[in-house]
Amino acid sequence: MVDLDGSDAAATEEIAAFPLGTVLLPAQKLEIRVFEPRYRVRWFDLRDQDPTELLVIMIERGSEGGGGDVRSTIGCIARGEQRNYLADGTTMIAMTGTDRARVSKWLAEAPYPAAEVARLRGPLGAMTRGSTGSPIELSTLLHLGESI
């Protein structure tokens, strides 16, 4: 399969997803605080996975808490590098983006979001497409990520 920007897409795989109001790019660092019970369950489920990977995907409309959001179709696979368990039961996770990925299908959220994705290989393109099918300039996505 060839992506919109000419890069090759690998075979699909199932992966846990973390919808956020921000953009993560390959090689970019991200630190998040996991506090929602469904996401705490996810980190417990992923505890023995080495490396720990999940899909970070931008929320196009809606909010981070509670679901009901509209998500982008392109995200970034993130590798969890460090976990710090806090006294209040939350967890701080340090991650680094590794590969771009295209969502081919959203799976049941039981109890947390998961998707079937294809990793995108090749150079980072200038455009991607949002859930509405309209082109989105990469610079617009970066600006959105910085403004949130």
Side-chain angles (χ1 to χ4, degrees):
M1 176 197 288
V2 176
D3 189 28
L4 297 171
D5 62 8
S7 63
D8 292 324
T12 61
E13 61 186 284
E14 288 186 14
I15 192 165
F18 204 90
L20 292 173
T22 191
V23 174
L24 178 66
L25 298 174
Q28 183 179 11
K29 303 276 187 196
L30 178 66
E31 189 170 301
I32 58 170
R33 182 176 182 199
V34 179
F35 59 90
E36 273 190 73
R38 64 185 177 153
Y39 293 118
R40 290 169 62 190
V41 167
R42 176 188 40 225
W43 283 105
F44 181 79
D45 289 350
L46 297 176
R47 72 192 177 283
D48 294 329
Q49 185 187 61
D50 185 31
T52 301
E53 291 186 319
L54 62 120
L55 174 70
V56 173
I57 193 137
M58 186 172 167
I59 297 171
E60 291 183 351
R61 285 189 303 278
S63 63
E64 290 182 7
D69 50 24
V70 176
R71 301 167 188 157
S72 176
T73 56
I74 300 289
C76 186
I77 304 293
R79 176 172 288 138
E81 296 174 339
Q82 184 177 5
R83 299 180 201 186
N84 292 319
Y85 299 97
L86 306 177
D88 64 0
T90 63
T91 306
M92 293 299 295
I93 309 287
M95 299 182 284
T96 300
T98 59
D99 298 307
R100 294 174 301 133
R102 175 183 302 282
V103 174
S104 57
K105 179 171 79 173
W106 284 102
L107 305 173
E109 294 195 19
Y112 47 78
E116 189 174 289
V117 303
R119 292 178 192 242
L120 302 175
R121 310 291 184 194
L124 186 60
M127 292 185 136
T128 186
R129 292 196 183 273
S131 62
T132 60
S134 59
I136 301 172
E137 292 286 338
L138 181 59
S139 61
T140 302
L141 289 175
L142 292 173
H143 176 71
L144 284 172
E146 291 171 0
S147 67
I148 295 178

